[in-house]
Short mmCIF file of all heavy atoms in Angstrom, two decimals:
data_model
loop_
_atom_site.label_atom_id
_atom_site.label_comp_id
_atom_site.label_asym_id
_atom_site.label_seq_id
_atom_site.Cartn_x
_atom_site.Cartn_y
_atom_site.Cartn_z
N ALA A 254 73.94 -124.03 -60.46
CA ALA A 254 73.19 -123.22 -59.50
C ALA A 254 73.61 -121.76 -59.56
O ALA A 254 72.76 -120.85 -59.54
CB ALA A 254 73.39 -123.78 -58.09
N ALA A 255 74.91 -121.51 -59.66
CA ALA A 255 75.40 -120.13 -59.75
C ALA A 255 75.00 -119.50 -61.08
O ALA A 255 74.68 -118.30 -61.14
CB ALA A 255 76.91 -120.10 -59.58
N ALA A 256 75.01 -120.30 -62.14
CA ALA A 256 74.60 -119.79 -63.45
C ALA A 256 73.13 -119.38 -63.42
O ALA A 256 72.76 -118.34 -63.98
CB ALA A 256 74.84 -120.84 -64.52
N ARG A 257 72.30 -120.16 -62.77
CA ARG A 257 70.88 -119.81 -62.68
C ARG A 257 70.69 -118.52 -61.90
O ARG A 257 69.84 -117.70 -62.26
CB ARG A 257 70.10 -120.96 -62.02
CG ARG A 257 70.05 -122.23 -62.86
CD ARG A 257 69.18 -123.28 -62.21
NE ARG A 257 67.78 -122.83 -62.15
CZ ARG A 257 66.79 -123.55 -61.64
NH1 ARG A 257 67.05 -124.75 -61.13
NH2 ARG A 257 65.56 -123.08 -61.63
N GLU A 258 71.45 -118.33 -60.86
CA GLU A 258 71.35 -117.08 -60.10
C GLU A 258 71.70 -115.88 -60.97
O GLU A 258 71.04 -114.84 -60.90
CB GLU A 258 72.28 -117.13 -58.89
CG GLU A 258 71.82 -118.07 -57.79
CD GLU A 258 72.75 -118.05 -56.59
OE1 GLU A 258 73.70 -117.23 -56.58
OE2 GLU A 258 72.54 -118.84 -55.66
N ARG A 259 72.73 -116.02 -61.79
CA ARG A 259 73.10 -114.90 -62.66
C ARG A 259 72.00 -114.64 -63.69
O ARG A 259 71.66 -113.47 -63.96
CB ARG A 259 74.43 -115.17 -63.36
CG ARG A 259 74.79 -114.09 -64.38
CD ARG A 259 76.20 -114.19 -64.88
NE ARG A 259 77.17 -113.85 -63.84
CZ ARG A 259 78.45 -113.58 -64.09
NH1 ARG A 259 78.91 -113.60 -65.34
NH2 ARG A 259 79.28 -113.30 -63.10
N LEU A 260 71.45 -115.69 -64.27
CA LEU A 260 70.39 -115.49 -65.26
C LEU A 260 69.18 -114.81 -64.64
O LEU A 260 68.56 -113.93 -65.25
CB LEU A 260 69.98 -116.84 -65.86
CG LEU A 260 71.00 -117.56 -66.74
CD1 LEU A 260 70.48 -118.92 -67.15
CD2 LEU A 260 71.34 -116.74 -67.97
N GLU A 261 68.84 -115.20 -63.43
CA GLU A 261 67.62 -114.67 -62.80
C GLU A 261 67.77 -113.25 -62.31
O GLU A 261 66.80 -112.64 -61.86
CB GLU A 261 67.20 -115.61 -61.67
CG GLU A 261 66.69 -116.96 -62.17
CD GLU A 261 66.38 -117.94 -61.05
OE1 GLU A 261 66.12 -117.49 -59.91
OE2 GLU A 261 66.40 -119.16 -61.31
N VAL A 262 68.97 -112.69 -62.39
CA VAL A 262 69.15 -111.27 -62.11
C VAL A 262 68.42 -110.43 -63.16
O VAL A 262 67.93 -109.33 -62.87
CB VAL A 262 70.65 -110.91 -62.05
CG1 VAL A 262 70.86 -109.40 -62.04
CG2 VAL A 262 71.30 -111.53 -60.82
N VAL A 263 68.32 -110.94 -64.38
CA VAL A 263 67.64 -110.23 -65.46
C VAL A 263 66.13 -110.30 -65.21
O VAL A 263 65.56 -111.39 -65.06
CB VAL A 263 67.97 -110.85 -66.83
CG1 VAL A 263 67.23 -110.12 -67.95
CG2 VAL A 263 69.48 -110.80 -67.08
N SER A 264 65.50 -109.16 -65.18
CA SER A 264 64.06 -109.11 -64.96
C SER A 264 63.32 -109.86 -66.07
O SER A 264 63.58 -109.65 -67.25
CB SER A 264 63.59 -107.65 -64.93
OG SER A 264 62.20 -107.58 -64.76
N GLY A 265 62.41 -110.73 -65.67
CA GLY A 265 61.66 -111.52 -66.64
C GLY A 265 62.16 -112.95 -66.76
O GLY A 265 61.51 -113.79 -67.37
N ILE A 266 63.34 -113.23 -66.18
CA ILE A 266 63.88 -114.60 -66.17
C ILE A 266 63.70 -115.16 -64.77
O ILE A 266 64.25 -114.63 -63.81
CB ILE A 266 65.36 -114.63 -66.57
CG1 ILE A 266 65.54 -114.12 -68.00
CG2 ILE A 266 65.93 -116.04 -66.44
CD1 ILE A 266 66.98 -114.07 -68.46
N GLY A 267 62.90 -116.21 -64.67
CA GLY A 267 62.64 -116.83 -63.38
C GLY A 267 63.15 -118.26 -63.33
O GLY A 267 63.90 -118.70 -64.22
N PRO A 268 62.76 -119.02 -62.31
CA PRO A 268 63.26 -120.39 -62.14
C PRO A 268 62.94 -121.31 -63.32
O PRO A 268 63.76 -122.16 -63.67
CB PRO A 268 62.56 -120.87 -60.87
CG PRO A 268 62.22 -119.62 -60.13
CD PRO A 268 61.93 -118.59 -61.17
N TRP A 269 61.78 -121.14 -63.94
CA TRP A 269 61.42 -122.00 -65.08
C TRP A 269 62.39 -121.78 -66.23
O TRP A 269 62.96 -122.74 -66.78
CB TRP A 269 59.99 -121.70 -65.53
CG TRP A 269 59.48 -122.62 -66.60
CD1 TRP A 269 58.78 -123.78 -66.44
CD2 TRP A 269 59.65 -122.46 -68.03
NE1 TRP A 269 58.50 -124.35 -67.66
CE2 TRP A 269 59.02 -123.56 -68.65
CE3 TRP A 269 60.26 -121.50 -68.83
CZ2 TRP A 269 58.99 -123.73 -70.03
CZ3 TRP A 269 60.26 -121.66 -70.20
CH2 TRP A 269 59.62 -122.76 -70.80
N THR A 270 62.60 -120.52 -66.59
CA THR A 270 63.46 -120.20 -67.74
C THR A 270 64.92 -120.55 -67.46
O THR A 270 65.61 -121.09 -68.35
CB THR A 270 63.33 -118.70 -68.08
OG1 THR A 270 61.95 -118.38 -68.27
CG2 THR A 270 64.10 -118.37 -69.35
N SER A 271 65.40 -120.26 -66.27
CA SER A 271 66.80 -120.56 -65.96
C SER A 271 67.06 -122.06 -65.97
O SER A 271 68.12 -122.52 -66.43
CB SER A 271 67.19 -119.95 -64.62
OG SER A 271 66.52 -120.57 -63.55
N ALA A 272 66.09 -122.85 -65.47
CA ALA A 272 66.26 -124.31 -65.48
C ALA A 272 66.29 -124.84 -66.91
O ALA A 272 67.15 -125.66 -67.26
CB ALA A 272 65.15 -124.97 -64.68
N GLU A 273 65.35 -124.37 -67.74
CA GLU A 273 65.31 -124.82 -69.13
C GLU A 273 66.59 -124.47 -69.87
O GLU A 273 67.02 -125.19 -70.78
CB GLU A 273 64.10 -124.20 -69.84
CG GLU A 273 62.76 -124.72 -69.38
CD GLU A 273 62.47 -126.12 -69.88
OE1 GLU A 273 62.67 -126.37 -71.09
OE2 GLU A 273 62.06 -126.97 -69.07
N THR A 274 67.23 -123.39 -69.48
CA THR A 274 68.46 -122.96 -70.13
C THR A 274 69.65 -123.81 -69.71
O THR A 274 70.38 -124.36 -70.55
CB THR A 274 68.74 -121.48 -69.82
OG1 THR A 274 67.64 -120.68 -70.28
CG2 THR A 274 70.02 -121.02 -70.52
N VAL A 275 69.89 -123.94 -68.40
CA VAL A 275 71.08 -124.67 -67.95
C VAL A 275 70.97 -126.16 -68.20
O VAL A 275 72.00 -126.85 -68.25
CB VAL A 275 71.38 -124.39 -66.46
CG1 VAL A 275 71.61 -122.91 -66.22
CG2 VAL A 275 70.28 -124.94 -65.55
N GLN A 276 69.77 -126.68 -68.36
CA GLN A 276 69.64 -128.08 -68.75
C GLN A 276 70.37 -128.34 -70.06
O GLN A 276 70.95 -129.42 -70.26
CB GLN A 276 68.16 -128.46 -68.90
CG GLN A 276 67.41 -128.59 -67.59
CD GLN A 276 65.91 -128.67 -67.78
OE1 GLN A 276 65.43 -128.73 -68.92
NE2 GLN A 276 65.16 -128.66 -66.69
N ARG A 277 70.38 -127.35 -70.94
CA ARG A 277 71.00 -127.50 -72.25
C ARG A 277 72.43 -126.93 -72.28
O ARG A 277 73.33 -127.57 -72.81
CB ARG A 277 70.14 -126.81 -73.31
CG ARG A 277 68.75 -127.43 -73.45
CD ARG A 277 67.80 -126.51 -74.20
NE ARG A 277 66.52 -127.13 -74.51
CZ ARG A 277 65.50 -127.22 -73.66
NH1 ARG A 277 65.62 -126.70 -72.43
NH2 ARG A 277 64.37 -127.80 -74.02
N SER A 278 72.61 -125.74 -71.74
CA SER A 278 73.92 -125.10 -71.81
C SER A 278 74.94 -125.78 -70.91
O SER A 278 76.13 -125.84 -71.23
CB SER A 278 73.80 -123.62 -71.43
OG SER A 278 73.34 -123.48 -70.09
N HIS A 279 74.50 -126.30 -69.76
CA HIS A 279 75.41 -126.90 -68.78
C HIS A 279 75.27 -128.42 -68.68
O HIS A 279 76.08 -129.07 -68.02
CB HIS A 279 75.15 -126.32 -67.39
CG HIS A 279 75.57 -124.89 -67.23
ND1 HIS A 279 74.96 -123.85 -67.89
CD2 HIS A 279 76.55 -124.33 -66.47
CE1 HIS A 279 75.53 -122.71 -67.55
NE2 HIS A 279 76.50 -122.97 -66.69
N GLY A 280 74.23 -128.99 -69.27
CA GLY A 280 73.98 -130.42 -69.08
C GLY A 280 73.68 -130.72 -67.62
O GLY A 280 74.13 -131.75 -67.09
N ALA A 281 72.93 -129.83 -66.95
CA ALA A 281 72.71 -129.93 -65.50
C ALA A 281 71.75 -131.05 -65.16
O ALA A 281 70.55 -130.95 -65.46
CB ALA A 281 72.18 -128.59 -64.97
N PRO A 282 72.20 -132.11 -64.51
CA PRO A 282 71.32 -133.26 -64.25
C PRO A 282 70.31 -133.03 -63.14
O PRO A 282 69.36 -133.79 -63.00
CB PRO A 282 72.30 -134.37 -63.84
CG PRO A 282 73.48 -133.65 -63.28
CD PRO A 282 73.58 -132.36 -64.06
N ASP A 283 70.49 -131.95 -62.34
CA ASP A 283 69.59 -131.72 -61.21
C ASP A 283 68.69 -130.51 -61.40
O ASP A 283 67.92 -130.16 -60.51
CB ASP A 283 70.39 -131.55 -59.91
CG ASP A 283 69.54 -131.71 -58.67
OD1 ASP A 283 68.76 -132.68 -58.60
OD2 ASP A 283 69.64 -130.85 -57.77
N ALA A 284 68.77 -129.85 -62.56
CA ALA A 284 67.99 -128.63 -62.79
C ALA A 284 66.57 -128.99 -63.18
O ALA A 284 66.19 -128.93 -64.36
CB ALA A 284 68.66 -127.77 -63.87
N VAL A 285 65.76 -129.35 -62.20
CA VAL A 285 64.38 -129.73 -62.47
C VAL A 285 63.57 -128.46 -62.74
O VAL A 285 63.77 -127.42 -62.12
CB VAL A 285 63.79 -130.53 -61.29
CG1 VAL A 285 63.79 -129.70 -60.02
CG2 VAL A 285 62.39 -131.01 -61.61
N THR A 286 62.64 -128.54 -63.68
CA THR A 286 61.84 -127.39 -64.08
C THR A 286 60.64 -127.24 -63.15
O THR A 286 59.80 -128.13 -63.08
CB THR A 286 61.34 -127.56 -65.52
OG1 THR A 286 62.46 -127.76 -66.38
CG2 THR A 286 60.58 -126.33 -65.98
N VAL A 287 60.58 -126.13 -62.43
CA VAL A 287 59.43 -125.82 -61.60
C VAL A 287 58.67 -124.66 -62.24
O VAL A 287 59.24 -123.88 -63.00
CB VAL A 287 59.84 -125.46 -60.15
CG1 VAL A 287 60.48 -126.64 -59.47
CG2 VAL A 287 60.77 -124.26 -60.13
N GLY A 288 57.38 -124.55 -61.93
CA GLY A 288 56.56 -123.52 -62.53
C GLY A 288 55.97 -123.92 -63.86
O GLY A 288 55.40 -123.09 -64.57
N ASP A 289 56.08 -125.21 -64.19
CA ASP A 289 55.55 -125.70 -65.47
C ASP A 289 54.08 -126.06 -65.31
O ASP A 289 53.65 -126.54 -64.26
CB ASP A 289 56.35 -126.92 -65.93
CG ASP A 289 56.05 -127.29 -67.37
OD1 ASP A 289 56.70 -126.72 -68.27
OD2 ASP A 289 55.17 -128.14 -67.60
N LEU A 290 53.30 -125.86 -66.37
CA LEU A 290 51.87 -126.13 -66.30
C LEU A 290 51.56 -127.62 -66.21
O LEU A 290 50.64 -128.03 -65.50
CB LEU A 290 51.18 -125.52 -67.53
CG LEU A 290 49.66 -125.71 -67.63
CD1 LEU A 290 48.96 -125.05 -66.45
CD2 LEU A 290 49.14 -125.16 -68.94
N HIS A 291 52.33 -128.46 -66.91
CA HIS A 291 52.00 -129.87 -67.03
C HIS A 291 52.93 -130.80 -66.26
O HIS A 291 52.50 -131.88 -65.82
CB HIS A 291 52.01 -130.30 -68.50
CG HIS A 291 51.07 -129.51 -69.36
ND1 HIS A 291 49.71 -129.64 -69.29
CD2 HIS A 291 51.32 -128.57 -70.31
CE1 HIS A 291 49.14 -128.82 -70.16
NE2 HIS A 291 50.09 -128.16 -70.80
N LEU A 292 54.20 -130.44 -66.08
CA LEU A 292 55.18 -131.38 -65.54
C LEU A 292 54.84 -131.92 -64.16
O LEU A 292 54.97 -133.12 -63.92
CB LEU A 292 56.58 -130.75 -65.54
CG LEU A 292 57.72 -131.66 -65.13
CD1 LEU A 292 57.83 -132.84 -66.08
CD2 LEU A 292 59.04 -130.90 -65.08
N PRO A 293 54.39 -131.10 -63.20
CA PRO A 293 54.06 -131.67 -61.89
C PRO A 293 53.01 -132.76 -61.95
O PRO A 293 53.14 -133.81 -61.29
CB PRO A 293 53.57 -130.46 -61.09
CG PRO A 293 54.22 -129.29 -61.74
CD PRO A 293 54.26 -129.63 -63.20
N GLY A 294 51.97 -132.56 -62.75
CA GLY A 294 50.94 -133.57 -62.88
C GLY A 294 51.45 -134.84 -63.54
O GLY A 294 51.04 -135.95 -63.17
N ILE A 295 52.35 -134.69 -64.52
CA ILE A 295 52.91 -135.87 -65.19
C ILE A 295 53.78 -136.67 -64.23
O ILE A 295 53.67 -137.89 -64.14
CB ILE A 295 53.71 -135.43 -66.44
CG1 ILE A 295 52.77 -134.83 -67.48
CG2 ILE A 295 54.49 -136.61 -67.01
CD1 ILE A 295 53.50 -134.21 -68.66
N VAL A 296 54.65 -135.96 -63.49
CA VAL A 296 55.52 -136.65 -62.52
C VAL A 296 54.68 -137.28 -61.41
O VAL A 296 54.91 -138.42 -61.01
CB VAL A 296 56.55 -135.66 -61.93
CG1 VAL A 296 57.33 -136.31 -60.79
CG2 VAL A 296 57.51 -135.18 -63.02
N GLY A 297 53.69 -136.53 -60.91
CA GLY A 297 52.85 -137.06 -59.85
C GLY A 297 52.07 -138.28 -60.29
O GLY A 297 51.95 -139.27 -59.55
N PHE A 298 51.55 -138.26 -61.50
CA PHE A 298 50.78 -139.39 -62.02
C PHE A 298 51.69 -140.61 -62.23
O PHE A 298 51.33 -141.74 -61.93
CB PHE A 298 50.11 -139.01 -63.34
CG PHE A 298 49.27 -140.09 -63.94
CD1 PHE A 298 48.00 -140.35 -63.44
CD2 PHE A 298 49.73 -140.84 -65.00
CE1 PHE A 298 47.21 -141.35 -64.00
CE2 PHE A 298 48.96 -141.84 -65.57
CZ PHE A 298 47.69 -142.10 -65.06
N ALA A 299 52.92 -140.38 -62.76
CA ALA A 299 53.82 -141.49 -63.06
C ALA A 299 54.36 -142.14 -61.80
O ALA A 299 54.49 -143.38 -61.75
CB ALA A 299 54.98 -140.98 -63.92
N LEU A 300 54.66 -141.37 -60.78
CA LEU A 300 55.31 -141.92 -59.59
C LEU A 300 54.35 -142.24 -58.45
O LEU A 300 54.67 -143.07 -57.60
CB LEU A 300 56.38 -140.95 -59.08
CG LEU A 300 57.53 -140.64 -60.04
CD1 LEU A 300 58.56 -139.75 -59.36
CD2 LEU A 300 58.19 -141.91 -60.55
N ALA A 301 53.19 -141.55 -58.42
CA ALA A 301 52.29 -141.76 -57.28
C ALA A 301 50.82 -141.85 -57.68
O ALA A 301 49.96 -141.94 -56.80
CB ALA A 301 52.48 -140.64 -56.26
N GLY A 302 50.53 -141.81 -58.96
CA GLY A 302 49.13 -141.86 -59.40
C GLY A 302 48.35 -140.60 -59.08
O GLY A 302 47.12 -140.62 -59.07
N ASP A 303 49.04 -139.48 -58.85
CA ASP A 303 48.41 -138.23 -58.47
C ASP A 303 48.53 -137.22 -59.61
O ASP A 303 49.55 -136.54 -59.73
CB ASP A 303 49.06 -137.68 -57.19
CG ASP A 303 48.41 -136.39 -56.72
OD1 ASP A 303 47.36 -136.00 -57.29
OD2 ASP A 303 48.95 -135.76 -55.79
#
Side-chain angles (χ1 to χ4, degrees):
R257 293 184 64 179
E258 288 182 5
R259 175 169 291 195
L260 292 175
E261 291 175 24
V262 168
V263 179
S264 178
I266 298 178
W269 186 92
T270 306
S271 67
E273 290 286 313
T274 301
V275 301
Q276 287 168 6
R277 297 164 172 82
S278 62
H279 290 67
D283 196 48
V285 62
T286 304
V287 296
D289 192 86
L290 180 62
H291 302 289
L292 186 61
I295 294 172
V296 172
F298 182 78
L300 299 184
D303 181 9

